[in-house]
Amino acid sequence: MIHEPLYLCGTTASGKSACACAIAEKMGGEIINADAFQLYQGLEVLTASPNEHEQSQAPHHLYSQFPLTEKLDAARYEALARPIIAEVQSRGKIPLIVGGSGLYLKFLTHGCAPAPPGDEKIRAELDQLTVDEIYRRLKNLDPEEAARQNSQNRRHLGRALEICLITGSKASDLRKNFAIPENTAHLKGIVLQWPREILANRIAQRTAQMLENGAIEEVKNLPTNSGTVRQAIGVREIEAHLRGELSREECLERITISTRQYAKRQRNWFRREHWLTPIDGSKGLDSILTSLPI
RNA sequence: GGCUCAUUAGCUCAGUUGGUAGAGCAGCGGAUUGAAAAUCCGCGUGUCCUUGGUUCGAAUCCGAGAUGAGCCA
């Protein structure tokens, strides 16, 4: 019997890991990571990766798999996760895909557009330009794409321009050829939701816990050539603290705020994924287990 | 006790020669298919400490009071 994957989403600090373990134990599942930063090895504390106890409760895949110098992206993630999902299915177990990285999840649920991967040389060049310059260049090559992007978003504009430069054709054409599937009937998943105040408290507590448990050491030991992973919430703040620019207390406060803001963005993302079944995270694991959409 | 300075948005502060106020941060709303924990967009009514006065008109000038900080006793 082949089991469809069950997606377990939710904002940061919504209790996904614990919930995943409970589901895996009860229903015979294996957990597959869908968090962009927990893929790396060396920032387990800062990224709130599942602890040893949790990992011993059920098989976990794609956690702490890559060195901090690696540059992963959503497409590579999809390519990594697919065979693992198939493997879990072949064992007759349920693939439990758990994580909060909306884009990564979307690649899994809706597929990957046939676009070229990022090019470091091009990105390094674009980094030298102002947003206005990037926008102008994109507008030149692909006015349609420029029109649908925000003229101030260097990341999104840069990606579109990069596609044009690599392929020699228009990013907007590529977009037309790749329609995001609208049929989501086959998708099964839940999104854990919490009252905002309570989630804010959980975030504050967990952040304090991280600093206690070695997040500062992790950042201290970051290799200088670590790329993507420097974007993780907490890295900048802790580095500022290590330089003496922020007190420990200020550092804690800054990370807590950033995390709260991130949770808000996640909430936005998941709200648009209508196929997800919302579940009240504060109801407790037993209650959650009985309201799964399977 | 005397003198000086401060008091404006949740916080830190701007506010030109009097014409009922605006930035950053926070907060709220939103976008987002190969960097996504990233990146970006939108949202500012608040007893301008209180109270008398001057004035057509006061956050702005004058008096008194309150609170805080500093200096002198």
Side-chain angles (χ1 to χ4, degrees):
Chain A
M1 159 115 193
I2 300 278
H3 293 98
E4 282 300 306
L6 178 66
Y7 292 87
L8 209 181
C9 313
T11 66
T12 184
S14 62
K16 295 185 293 295
S17 298
C19 184
C21 285
I23 297 175
E25 277 196 318
K26 187 187 169 205
M27 321 198 55
E30 296 191 25
I31 294 168
I32 299 163
N33 173 38
D35 181 293
F37 288 78
Q38 291 175 357
L39 290 162
Y40 297 94
Q41 184 191 38
L43 282 182
E44 283 76 8
V45 176
L46 194 73
T47 59
S49 292
N51 57 36
E52 277 183 32
H53 172 67
E54 288 168 326
Q55 300 224 21
S56 70
Q57 292 182 317
H60 280 62
H61 304 276
L62 287 178
Y63 289 92
S64 304
Q65 288 266 302
F66 296 90
L68 296 167
T69 49
E70 194 83 15
K71 286 191 173 161
L72 299 163
D73 59 51
R76 269 192 79 188
Y77 166 73
E78 189 217 354
L80 287 162
R82 285 234 186 272
I84 296 175
I85 293 171
E87 206 181 291
V88 172
Q89 286 174 321
S90 74
R91 278 181 221 125
K93 310 271 281 299
I94 304 175
L96 280 174
I97 296 157
V98 16
S101 299
L103 184 68
Y104 282 36
L105 285 157
K106 190 103 186 183
F107 267 61
L108 230 38
T109 56
H110 292 73
C112 167
D119 182 289
E120 293 225 28
K121 260 182 85 177
I122 291 177
R123 290 184 178 186
E125 284 170 25
L126 295 185
D127 280 344
Q128 304 299 114
L129 303 179
T130 65
V131 211
D132 293 333
E133 285 167 334
I134 295 173
Y135 180 69
R136 226 173 293 136
R137 289 189 61 182
L138 179 63
K139 201 172 174 184
N140 238 354
L141 293 178
D142 188 351
E144 192 180 334
E145 184 66 14
R148 76 179 288 284
Q149 298 282 356
N150 185 290
S151 65
Q152 291 306 304
N153 193 327
R154 59 161 43 241
R155 270 293 172 83
H156 291 189
L157 292 170
R159 173 60 185 157
L161 179 54
E162 175 183 67
I163 291 172
C164 296
L165 293 173
I166 294 172
T167 64
S169 51
K170 294 180 177 179
S172 55
D173 288 344
L174 194 142
R175 202 179 281 285
K176 281 172 207 152
N177 293 329
F178 174 70
I180 292 175
E182 284 177 24
N183 179 14
T184 54
H186 62 293
L187 296 172
K188 285 178 190 159
I190 63 173
V191 52
L192 292 177
Q193 299 181 334
W194 290 80
R196 191 172 293 213
E197 292 276 298
I198 298 177
L199 187 74
N201 284 335
R202 288 170 62 93
I203 289 171
Q205 274 177 32
R206 194 189 63 183
T207 306
Q209 208 57 248
M210 280 177 183
L211 294 187
E212 290 297 315
N213 294 345
I216 296 174
E217 290 304 311
E218 286 181 343
V219 172
K220 210 181 275 178
N221 295 330
L222 268 185
T224 43
N225 59 342
S226 60
T228 307
V229 93
R230 292 201 161 264
Q231 299 178 350
I233 291 171
V235 171
R236 286 193 204 84
E237 293 87 345
I238 289 175
E239 280 180 340
H241 173 240
L242 291 172
R243 273 185 258 113
E245 293 163 12
L246 286 181
S247 71
R248 190 195 166 95
E249 202 184 333
E250 289 167 331
C251 175
L252 172 67
E253 175 70 10
R254 291 294 322 153
I255 296 175
T256 305
I257 289 169
S258 302
T259 308
R260 224 189 285 138
Q261 294 171 332
Y262 170 49
K264 182 171 61 190
R265 276 175 264 135
Q266 289 177 301
R267 222 168 9 239
N268 280 346
W269 190 292
F270 292 133
R271 192 179 294 131
R272 299 168 72 212
E273 302 291 345
H274 301 291
W275 55 277
L276 286 168
T277 305
I279 291 188
D280 185 343
S282 64
K283 285 282 193 285
L285 289 178
D286 290 338
S287 163
I288 293 171
L289 286 174
T290 60
S291 35
L292 295 177
I294 38 176

